[in-house]
């Protein structure tokens, strides 16, 4: 099945935005009242429609993003898989956190019958990302998780892939309509000013964002300074530090170097989980291994000319510092929209003296090696790193790592002990979010099953008659979902 993208538009008028928001408000109670089975079916319909149009979607994504057919094929598969994951989440029902405490006059203090569960917030705004035109875009994880729990979604398209956004949007809208979802369940807007207007629109109850620290902070400030502030869940900047111990270099230095070379250049270094800073022993052995693994440094086309320009400027400023050495670099080619592979080196002492400048994120194919002389110096340098999505530790097989693990878990949402952080599994246990500035709230994840928690709020019902209770809280448990009853977690047997 194929589909043609809608006619090109570059912005959305305020009247249209108001109309879309009004439609979302009308759809919200219908989505909230829909069963988990209904919403799961809607998500699966969207996944099926995207899969049926994969060839056209991937070709258009490659035209606009330059990420290549193999990468985009895998990303689209991830996108439809996560839609189906969220259909599983809502069918299973534990995400509701349904909790029942029967009245107890003997408790201290005595309490009434209280029943609690999570309810959808209402219409949600989602800002699409540049570097994942499928998985973090129109039908990506923010959209899927919000629709799953009954929140209508209005997506702000990313200007880096406008034609793809329009095509994907038309497929989502048609799939939802064909599956029986109400009008207003999903919509797309375009334009810078329209994005600002979306954040402050009174119909919007929460915002999901993936992008730069500067842009995210500006939108965050808008969201929290509204007359009625709303939650803003932003994924912003992350340098994803790696610590490699001397024992690890001795045991497997060459393979670690090969893994790092592959990871920091993957997708022309345009991953939010790219390892941007790597703490290594100061004997130079790993430095030499990494230079060998990189080989003849190359370059690749970046997502936009603006990103290529920003990357080239940032690396040029960093390389010009007296305390930074260039170990490997391809000729600069930012004028052609490309990013050049670059390996830089500094010292832990330099990082401690000027962490703001040396630990800045550079979105592109580069990594900074930070040499340390003692484990204590490595710990001190790690302490200078701001909040980050991931942190990775490569140590010797029998090496004591307690202090390093404590240091890394204090700054990161996900700590790795093998492999590299690029590549984020979409699972029930995933955590993709960390302390500021990696995300605006370290309490939640934007990837994985618990991403739905961002779009929900708890409501308790006290002494409510059975007829007034949501099905999830009725005594007979008609939905057959897991619940905590009088302190005991109950999981109904599945037929």
């Amino acid at each position: 099945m194929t589909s043609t993208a809608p006619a090109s538009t570059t912005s959305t008028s305020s009247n249209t935005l108001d109309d879309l928001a009004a439609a979302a408000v009308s759809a919200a109670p219908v989505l909230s009242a829909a069963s988990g089975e209904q919403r799961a079916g809607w998500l699966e319909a969207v996944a099926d429609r995207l899969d049926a149009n994969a060839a056209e979607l991937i070709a258009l994504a490659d035209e606009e993003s330059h990420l290549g057919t193999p990468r985009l094929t895998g990303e689209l598969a991830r996108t439809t898989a996560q839609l189906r994951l969220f259909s599983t989440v809502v069918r299973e029902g534990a995400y509701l956190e349904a909790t029942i405490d029967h009245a107890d006059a003997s408790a201290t203090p005595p309490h009434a019958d209280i029943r609690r569960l999570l309810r959808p917030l209402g219409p949600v705004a989602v800002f699409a990302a540049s570097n994942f035109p499928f998985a973090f875009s129109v039908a990506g994880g923010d959209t899927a998780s919000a629709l799953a729990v009954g929140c209508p979604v209005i997506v702000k398209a990313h200007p880096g892939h406008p034609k793809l956004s329009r095509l994907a949007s038309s497929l989502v809208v048609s799939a939802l309509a064909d599956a029986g979802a109400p009008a207003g369940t999903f919509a797309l807007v375009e334009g810078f000013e329209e994005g600002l207007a979306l954040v402050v629109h009174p119909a919007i109850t929460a915002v999901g964002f993936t992008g730069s620290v500067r842009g995210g902070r500006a939108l965050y400030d808008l969201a929290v300074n509204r007359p009625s502030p709303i939650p803003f869940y932003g994924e912003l900047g992350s340098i994803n530090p790696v610590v490699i111990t001397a024992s690890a270099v001795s045991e497997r230095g060459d393979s670690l170097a090969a893994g790092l070379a592959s990871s920091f250049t993957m997708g022309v270094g345009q991953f939010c989980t790219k390892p941007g800073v790597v703490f290594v022993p100061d004997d130079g052995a790993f430095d030499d291994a990494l230079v060998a693994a990189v080989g003849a440094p190359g370059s690749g086309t970046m997502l936009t000319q603006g990103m290529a320009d920003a990357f080239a400027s940032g690396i040029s400023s960093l390389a010009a510092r007296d305390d930074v050495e260039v170990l490997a670099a391809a000729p600069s080619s930012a004028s052609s929209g490309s990013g050049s592979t670059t390996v830089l080196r500094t010292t832990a002492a330099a990082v401690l003296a000027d962490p703001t400048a040396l630990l800045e994120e550079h979105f592109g194919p580069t990594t900074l090696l930070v040499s340390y002389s003692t484990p204590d110096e490595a710990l001190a340098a790690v302490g200078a790193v701001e909040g980050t999505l991931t942190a990775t530790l490569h140590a010797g097989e029998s090496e004591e790592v307690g202090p390093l693990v404590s240091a890394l878990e204090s700054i990161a949402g996900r700590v790795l002990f093998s492999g590299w952080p690029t590549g984020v599994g979409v699972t029930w246990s995933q955590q993709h979010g960390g302390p500021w500035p990696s995300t605006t709230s370290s309490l939640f994840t934007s990837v994985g099953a618990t991403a739905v928690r961002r779009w929900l709020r708890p409501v308790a019902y006290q002494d409510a008659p059975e007829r007034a209770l949501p099905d999830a809280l009725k005594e007979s448990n008609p939905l057959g979902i897991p619940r905590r009853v009088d302190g005991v977690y109950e999981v109904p047997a599945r037929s």
Side-chain angles (χ1 to χ4, degrees):
M1 178 179 178
T2 60
S3 177
T4 302
S8 173
T9 58
T10 57
S11 65
T12 305
S13 72
S14 59
N15 287 338
T16 302
L17 177 56
D18 286 341
D19 291 343
L20 295 176
V25 169
S26 296
V30 182
L31 268 65
S32 178
S35 68
E37 184 63 38
Q38 285 177 298
R39 283 185 260 118
W42 298 341
L43 295 176
E44 290 165 348
V46 172
D48 292 344
R49 188 66 54 90
L50 295 176
D51 281 341
N53 290 273
E56 186 179 6
L57 287 165
I58 290 166
L60 198 52
D62 191 31
E63 174 189 322
E64 293 187 309
S65 70
H66 324 293
L67 291 172
T69 297
R71 150 75 191 274
L72 291 165
T73 298
E75 188 187 330
L76 180 57
R78 166 191 171 163
T79 303
T80 57
Q82 66 191 9
L83 283 158
R84 295 184 177 101
L85 170 67
F86 287 118
S87 72
T88 302
V89 171
V90 295
R91 281 194 177 101
E92 189 259 0
Y95 80 93
L96 290 167
E97 297 181 12
T99 306
I100 297 173
D101 286 310
H102 293 103
D104 187 351
S106 65
T108 306
H111 62 77
D113 185 282
I114 302 174
R115 305 180 183 221
R116 178 186 186 273
L117 85 167
L118 302 181
R119 303 294 286 166
L121 292 175
V124 164
V126 168
F127 282 70
S130 62
N131 58 334
F132 281 85
F134 292 124
F136 283 84
S137 190
V138 170
D142 284 352
T143 296
S145 57
L147 291 177
V149 297
C151 292
V153 174
I154 301 177
V155 171
K156 159 60 175 65
H158 194 279
H161 44 267
K163 291 188 288 185
L164 175 66
S165 297
R166 295 172 200 138
L167 173 58
S169 174
S170 70
L171 294 171
V172 173
V173 169
S174 64
L176 288 170
D178 291 347
T185 298
F186 176 87
L188 182 78
V189 300
E190 298 181 68
F192 178 80
E193 294 297 331
E194 288 69 22
L196 301 181
L198 185 60
V199 172
V200 299
H201 199 286
I204 297 301
T205 62
V207 180
F209 172 89
T210 302
S212 68
V213 173
R214 180 180 178 184
R217 181 56 193 255
L219 294 176
Y220 172 81
D221 289 344
L222 280 178
V224 299
N225 286 300
R226 291 173 26 146
S228 297
I230 59 173
F232 181 94
Y233 300 114
E235 181 192 321
L236 310 180
S238 184
I239 63 170
N240 306 294
V242 179
V243 178
I244 303 178
T245 69
S247 295
V249 174
S250 176
E251 291 176 7
R252 55 190 187 282
D254 288 345
S255 64
L256 289 173
L260 174 59
S262 175
S263 185
F264 85 81
T265 59
M266 184 182 298
V268 202
Q270 298 168 116
F271 277 66
C272 54
T273 51
K274 181 200 75 175
V277 175
V278 184
F279 298 92
V280 299
D282 63 1
D283 60 11
F286 187 81
D287 306 19
D288 294 341
L290 180 59
V291 170
V294 168
S299 62
T301 304
M302 298 190 71
L303 292 161
T304 67
Q305 183 65 52
M307 289 182 183
D309 292 341
F311 176 70
S313 175
I315 294 302
S316 176
S317 297
L318 194 58
R321 292 176 59 103
D322 291 338
D323 52 7
V324 173
E325 177 184 358
V326 178
L327 297 183
S332 177
S333 53
S335 60
S336 64
S338 295
S340 302
T341 298
T342 308
V343 178
L344 304 167
R345 176 171 59 190
T346 189
T347 65
V351 164
L352 290 169
D354 193 1
T356 300
L358 289 173
L359 298 181
E360 181 181 359
E361 181 185 21
H362 297 283
F363 200 62
T366 188
T367 197
L368 175 68
L369 299 183
V370 178
S371 62
Y372 63 87
S373 58
T374 67
D376 285 344
E377 189 178 41
L379 275 173
V382 167
V385 177
E386 292 187 303
T388 183
L389 293 171
T390 76
T392 303
L393 174 60
H394 290 291
E397 189 169 334
S398 58
E399 193 170 1
E400 169 56 44
V401 295
L404 277 171
V405 172
S406 295
L408 295 176
E409 69 182 14
S410 71
I411 60 172
R414 177 165 58 107
V415 181
L416 294 81
F417 294 86
S418 66
W420 300 93
T422 38
V424 183
V426 185
T427 68
W428 288 80
S429 58
Q430 186 59 268
Q431 173 61 29
H432 192 64
W436 176 270
S438 63
T439 53
T440 53
S441 173
S442 60
L443 301 179
F444 300 98
T445 179
S446 63
V447 179
T450 58
V452 299
R453 187 60 180 83
R454 297 171 295 167
W455 321 119
L456 297 160
R457 68 180 183 91
V459 177
Y461 303 79
Q462 184 165 323
D463 288 334
E466 184 84 357
R467 67 182 184 280
L469 287 170
D471 284 348
L473 294 179
K474 289 180 177 177
E475 197 68 24
S476 62
N477 194 7
L479 300 181
I481 63 171
R483 307 191 302 184
R484 185 172 297 279
V485 180
D486 295 330
V488 178
Y489 195 64
E490 299 180 350
V491 180
R494 297 287 181 176
S495 58

